[in-house]
Amino acid sequence: MVLKVDPLKPEQSLIKKACQVLLDGFVVAFPTETVYGLGAIATYEEAVRKIFYLKGRPTDNPLIVHVSDLSQVYDLVTEVPEKARKVMEVFWPGPLSVILQAKESVPLVTRGGLESVAIRMPAHPVALSLIRCAGPIAAPSANKSGRPSPTTAEHVYQDFGDDVLILDAGPTLVGLESTVVDVREEPWKIYRPGAVTREMLEAHGHVSVEYVGKIEENGSTPSPGMKYRHYAPNVPVFLFRDVDELPPNQDITVIALDGLAPTLSGKPNIIFISLGADQHSAAARIYMALRQAEQFGRTTYVQLMDEEGIGIAYNERVRKAAGASRKLAN
């Protein structure tokens, strides 16, 4: 079932209906400002297991727990460092997930068998209303594991059909998953880049922050998105920066900023999918563009951005999409 809900003033009758589904131990797909999430009440172990089953997600891939106010955080973790609390107050609600030491009340399945748990407060009225009703919600992106993340309810329905209740509040705004940072000790470690950058965290947290790369398959990871195949459409994906890197006279799909459109227009062998005018629009549109490219069935070339700001997170996602998609094709 798909319930259309007002993204700014969600109808409480619809929120209560979705909330009851969660309280009954089932899952609900709902919008956040980043992507749509597939949620279950974080402390309902069997309900959380349904998320892993529906997604086909490895059980050692931890989930992010979504809260609606700071007081809920203290029910889930043993300690919140002072610098971390200040950063949370600045960037919450928003696309920032913080890794803290979990209380035993958080089921192991929710935290991927780890001692830690990642928590964030989404900046979306529908998500916040649902959490206020049901309590903290564990939610990864609402897509089959390995697929491009969903930025519309239609994307969710493409992957799950009628298997889940979907709250449809239109397209998401940020389009890339939250920054995930471990704040338990210094320097803080960013395991997944997002719209909240290292420079922003260092400026407001008055602490050094470093990026952590890919975790090996046999290693443990405190953050989703590090070990397994992610963001891959069912067509081969290659990356490029300049137009002269595109293959001549080959039928391809090109995903790029609008600045390249005049150069590529009139070329009958190229299908052009727009990422908009800048890095922020590219981040918001990339998952939709990758799903659109699947419909054409062609080898797809995706433009890389400058390694700054949200461009770092965008590049991280498309590099994973490129590597995973070619593995699938082979």
Side-chain angles (χ1 to χ4, degrees):
M1 183 187 299
V2 179
L3 299 178
K4 289 191 176 294
V5 58
D6 189 311
L8 299 179
K9 296 180 179 179
E11 299 86 344
Q12 289 307 299
S13 60
L14 301 180
I15 294 297
K16 288 178 180 177
K17 182 177 291 188
C19 177
Q20 190 59 54
V21 172
L22 291 171
L23 292 172
D24 288 342
F26 296 98
V27 301
V28 171
F30 64 95
T32 75
E33 80 281 20
T34 57
V35 299
Y36 273 73
L38 187 66
I41 293 179
T43 54
Y44 285 17
E45 184 173 345
E46 289 307 312
V48 172
R49 291 189 187 279
K50 290 173 181 161
I51 295 175
F52 287 91
Y53 172 76
L54 286 167
K55 282 179 63 74
R57 182 184 179 94
T59 55
D60 64 343
N61 198 3
L63 306 180
I64 293 173
V65 176
H66 297 66
V67 299
S68 58
D69 61 67
L70 275 172
S71 65
Q72 292 177 335
V73 177
Y74 293 94
D75 295 331
L76 301 167
V77 304
T78 60
E79 179 187 10
V80 179
E82 180 63 18
K83 291 181 180 179
R85 184 185 61 79
K86 290 180 178 179
V87 163
M88 291 152 67
E89 290 175 348
V90 170
F91 294 108
W92 280 7
L96 176 68
S97 297
V98 295
I99 295 174
L100 296 162
Q101 198 72 12
K103 286 185 175 178
E104 291 186 1
S105 57
V106 182
L108 278 172
V109 64
T110 301
R111 38 192 168 113
L114 303 172
E115 295 180 350
S116 60
V117 61
I119 304 175
R120 91 175 186 99
M121 187 188 299
H124 197 295
V126 174
L128 291 173
S129 294
L130 188 62
I131 298 164
R132 291 189 192 104
C133 179
I137 296 174
S141 55
N143 55 285
K144 291 290 186 181
S145 209
R147 299 270 296 132
S149 299
T151 55
T152 69
E154 181 182 0
H155 296 162
V156 181
Y157 193 82
Q158 287 171 1
D159 280 12
F160 296 106
D162 295 320
D163 288 342
V164 300
L165 173 65
I166 304 170
L167 290 177
D168 179 1
T172 62
L173 296 177
V174 176
L176 293 181
E177 297 86 352
S178 62
T179 303
V180 179
V181 58
D182 192 332
V183 299
R184 289 175 293 174
E185 59 182 36
E186 299 181 21
W188 291 356
K189 295 178 176 60
I190 292 178
Y191 286 106
R192 185 177 71 187
V196 177
T197 66
R198 176 175 66 183
E199 292 76 15
M200 294 162 71
L201 290 170
E202 288 179 335
H204 290 280
H206 304 290
V207 60
S208 60
V209 182
E210 61 186 26
Y211 286 108
V212 176
K214 188 177 186 296
I215 299 293
E216 296 301 321
E217 290 288 337
N218 59 355
S220 63
T221 169
S223 169
M226 298 190 71
K227 284 176 62 175
Y228 299 102
R229 175 170 61 85
H230 283 80
Y231 322 121
N234 294 324
V235 291
V237 173
F238 293 86
L239 307 178
F240 77 100
R241 289 188 182 276
D242 300 314
V243 173
D244 58 11
E245 297 173 41
L246 299 175
N249 305 318
Q250 182 179 328
D251 290 340
I252 59 174
T253 298
V254 175
I255 299 174
L257 293 174
D258 287 344
L260 287 187
T263 304
L264 300 177
S265 65
K267 295 188 176 184
N269 63 307
I270 291 178
I271 296 172
F272 180 77
I273 299 177
S274 169
L275 288 175
D278 55 31
Q279 289 188 350
H280 287 280
S281 64
R285 297 185 185 188
I286 184 57
Y287 291 141
M288 183 177 293
L290 289 171
R291 286 177 176 260
Q292 187 177 350
E294 287 184 326
Q295 300 172 19
F296 300 113
R298 296 180 172 190
T299 296
T300 298
Y301 283 77
V302 179
Q303 185 180 19
L304 287 163
M305 302 292 141
D306 292 336
E307 288 284 341
E308 60 183 19
I310 200 169
I312 294 173
Y314 167 94
N315 287 345
E316 188 256 3
R317 304 306 198 276
V318 298
R319 287 189 177 109
K320 287 185 175 181
S325 68
R326 295 202 296 276
K327 287 180 182 178
L328 282 176
N330 292 334

